[in-house]
Every structure is written in C-alpha cells, then in structure tokens.
Amino acid sequence: MTKEVLYIYGAGGFACEVAFLLSKNAHYEIKGFISDHNKPGQMANGLPVVNFDYVQTHAPQCAIVIAVGDPLTRKKLAQKCSALAFKFPQINHHGIELSDFISIGAGSIICAGSLLTTNIDIGEHVHVNLACTVGHDVKIASYTTVSPGVHISGNVHLGENVFVGTGANIIEGTIDSPLTIADGVVIAAGACVLSSLNIKGLYAGVPAKLKKTFD
Ligand SMILES: CC(C)(COP(=O)(O)OP(=O)(O)OC[C@H]1O[C@@H](n2cnc3c(N)ncnc32)[C@H](O)[C@@H]1OP(=O)(O)O)[C@@H](O)C(=O)NCCC(=O)NCCS
C-alpha cells in the first residue's frame, strides 16, 4: 500500500507525541514537522523540522495534522492550510476505545488511553489528549483542546476554541438541559465544573468559579 505523505504542524512536545501516536499508522508516512520558527537543519525526534514554504513547494498535496495546543493558534493555522487545499486527516491512536456512534471531524486527534462512549459529536481540529473519558451525548465544537486526564460526563456541550486543562472534570447535564461551555472558555487544570459556563472567561477550582473574563 502506498502511504500518504503527512507533515505535523508544530514542533514542540505535543507534536512529538503526535508523531509517536502515528508511528504504527499504516496509512501515513510522516515526513517531518512544520515550524514557523525553524532553524536550518533542525531535527526533532529524528525527523526534519521545515517551514511552511518548504511544504508548499515540495509536498503541495500532502496531509497536515495541526499539533498545536492553543485553540486560536490552531484555528489560524487550519485556515491558512485550508486556503491552500491541504488535506486534514482525522488521527486516532490505535489503542483508544470508540463506539460506532461517534462522529469526529477532519484534523481532530484522539490520543492514547482515551475512551469515548456513544452519541458523541466532535468537530474539526479538536484535540482529546491522553487518557480522557468522554461520555454519552457530548458535543465538542471545532478547535477545542481537551488536555490529558479530563473527564467529560454525559450531556455536555463544549463550544469552539475551549481549552480544558489537565485533570479537569465536567459533571453531567441532562438530555433536556445539557451542561454548556461557551466558546473561548478556559477551564484551569484540576477544576471541577458543576454547571454551565456561559461567560467567556477563565474558570478554576473545585467547584469551578469565574476568575476573569475575556473580550
Ligand atoms: C488557567 C491557566 C491557563 C492560567 O491562566 P492565566 O490566565 O495565566 O491565569 P492566572 O495565573 O492569571 O490565574 C488567574 C487566577 O486563577 C487561579 N488559577 C489559575 N490556574 C489555576 C488552577 N489550575 N487551579 C486553581 N486556580 C487556578 C490563579 O490562582 C488566579 O487566582 P486569583 O485571581 O484568585 O489569584 C493555568 O493555570 C492552567 O491551569 N493551565 C492548564 C495547563 C494544562 O493543562 N496544559 C496541558 C498541557 S498538555
């Protein structure tokens, strides 16, 4: 089988983890990392770090996966790549558990050890990092980042560009009244969310309280 050429956008720690995640994937040949700040000859985990111009010139048909944790940066990079017709595969670690009743959008990454149950709708360029659980009837809109060890209970709807910090827990909503997280909300590491977060801002603590608002 001919493997599809793939570059990972980003060259930091998470990008290297995505290379690991893809290492047993039979469909893609990872050619390297893309960095907007690369140095000549730079390597990461044995792969070259190139700039975006290089990829445009040498691999204009390739697939790109964006491994940058910050939601808004990821959105900007996705829009740039999309305008040039690069393809975005959906990437899952081979060891994750997924039911048949899940849709996951282009560019999204589900990392090792995660468990997603049923009737789940995940948008584009969403990251679900290591060892997360996502319960029934959850929606996660595009560009949202779910950090390692997060537990999202059933009937929770996360908006776009949400950042959920490591080890946060979000308790369940109901079918008639889902627990909703507004676009652009940041949930600090270790927070426990007990009710909808409707104001765009940073929430932290147990239970999670609004610490500051964003424009
Ligand atoms: C929330 C976070 C992003 C910090 O954001 P920030 O805008 O720099 O926030 P600040 O440091 O100004 O803190 C604002 C307030 O929130 C509190 N706070 C921040 N993070 C907190 C946390 N994890 N738990 C409890 N309180 C927290 C601060 O103590 C401060 O409280 P105060 O106003 O009462 O003094 C960071 O603390 C965090 O939790 N990051 C998650 C990192 C992560 O999970 N990365 C994943 C890597 S794979």
Side-chain angles (χ1 to χ4, degrees):
M1 188 182 79
T2 311
K3 290 187 172 187
E4 191 171 356
V5 167
L6 181 142
Y7 276 89
I8 298 169
Y9 213 134
F14 184 62
C16 290
E17 289 184 340
V18 170
F20 151 72
L21 182 155
L22 281 161
S23 58
K24 290 190 183 162
N25 189 308
H27 298 286
Y28 298 105
E29 179 187 358
I30 310 170
K31 283 285 194 186
F33 299 96
I34 308 171
S35 168
D36 297 334
H37 315 285
N38 76 313
K39 300 183 185 80
Q42 188 181 344
M43 302 285 286
N45 284 19
L47 292 166
V49 181
V50 299
N51 62 27
F52 189 64
D53 288 347
Y54 177 93
V55 175
Q56 270 186 272
T57 307
H58 293 90
Q61 309 286 315
C62 77
I64 292 179
V65 60
I66 303 176
V68 172
D70 176 62
L72 283 179
T73 306
R74 189 156 76 248
K75 183 173 188 173
K76 283 185 192 148
L77 294 175
Q79 287 169 340
K80 177 174 82 171
C81 296
S82 190
L84 293 162
F86 284 102
K87 289 166 283 179
F88 300 119
Q90 198 273 301
I91 303 291
N92 296 333
H93 185 264
H94 56 275
I96 63 170
E97 298 273 349
L98 292 175
S99 80
D100 293 336
F101 303 98
I102 299 181
S103 73
I104 307 179
S108 289
I109 302 171
I110 314 293
C111 294
S114 289
L115 169 58
L116 289 76
T117 64
T118 190
N119 299 320
I120 294 167
D121 189 359
I122 294 182
E124 297 187 353
H125 300 283
V126 168
H127 290 177
V128 177
N129 211 308
L130 299 165
C132 294
T133 61
V134 180
H136 62 88
D137 301 288
V138 165
K139 295 185 196 298
I140 305 179
S142 296
Y143 309 108
T144 280
T145 297
V146 180
S147 299
V150 167
H151 298 298
I152 303 173
S153 307
N155 292 307
V156 169
H157 295 179
L158 279 79
E160 271 199 18
N161 313 324
V162 169
F163 179 88
V164 187
T166 300
N169 295 304
I170 306 177
I171 72 159
E172 77 278 12
T174 64
I175 279 281
D176 295 332
S177 179
L179 188 154
T180 57
I181 310 291
D183 294 351
V185 159
V186 173
I187 299 172
C192 185
V193 177
L194 301 183
S195 56
S196 292
L197 307 179
N198 298 319
I199 297 168
K200 185 176 169 185
L202 164 64
Y203 297 79
V206 180
K209 300 271 190 225
L210 182 63
K211 291 287 187 179
K212 57 185 175 187
T213 56
F214 303 141
D215 294 334

